[in-house]
Amino acid sequence: MSNVKESPIVEDMKMYAVARLFLDNFPHMKAYWPMLGRQNAQLSLSFGVNDIDGTIDDSTKIYSMAGSEEQAPSMSTAQLVTLIKQAKRKPVERDTLYNIIRDYSEIDIREIETNPLLN
């Protein structure tokens, strides 16, 4: 499939928006930030995405090898919370069943950065 061009990010954002409209019975739509990049994942929050995923392990290497914007995909809790807050969204950590583990909306970023248990 090397002859197939990569779709522009604007097309990806349109797809998220249309998916949110047509899949209204799906409570959550996820964007994988290591694949999209930090800024595009943040942008996706304005196009219907309400979950930024990015659990990092060795499988993530394939994205960087394939030319992903994120060549060293790693983000601290403070960085992820900041990214979400900058998009004027509510940062909430959830488990795989979407039960709330921790709500970061009222926590100051400086507290997250200085507390090793939160980072």
Side-chain angles (χ1 to χ4, degrees):
M1 292 189 58
S2 61
N3 61 331
V4 178
K5 290 182 181 180
E6 185 177 342
S7 65
I9 194 65
V10 70
E11 294 300 320
D12 292 341
M13 295 302 142
K14 286 180 187 178
M15 187 62 70
Y16 284 127
V18 169
R20 174 52 76 200
L21 293 171
F22 282 93
L23 302 174
D24 61 343
N25 58 329
F26 283 66
H28 304 286
M29 191 177 311
K30 187 178 288 198
Y32 189 63
W33 75 262
M35 185 177 69
L36 289 172
R38 295 166 198 243
Q39 290 180 323
N40 291 331
Q42 186 180 44
L43 180 63
S44 73
L45 292 171
S46 296
F47 285 85
V49 169
N50 67 341
D51 184 8
I52 295 181
D53 188 26
T55 303
I56 305 300
D57 59 17
D58 285 343
S59 67
T60 307
K61 289 179 186 175
I62 194 165
Y63 291 107
S64 51
M65 289 173 12
S68 172
E69 182 180 310
E70 292 290 331
Q71 292 300 302
S74 167
M75 199 176 339
S76 70
T77 302
Q79 290 171 317
L80 191 53
V81 167
T82 300
L83 184 122
I84 294 166
K85 283 187 171 192
Q86 286 174 343
K88 307 261 189 279
R89 298 297 189 265
K90 182 178 177 180
V92 177
E93 183 179 357
R94 298 179 183 268
D95 64 15
T96 54
L97 299 175
Y98 285 88
N99 299 307
I100 295 175
I101 295 173
R102 181 151 202 177
D103 184 343
Y104 290 93
S105 57
E106 301 300 323
I107 298 176
D108 189 281
I109 297 300
R110 290 178 297 254
E111 180 185 344
I112 297 170
E113 291 171 341
T114 57
N115 185 338
L117 298 175
L118 300 177
N119 225 345

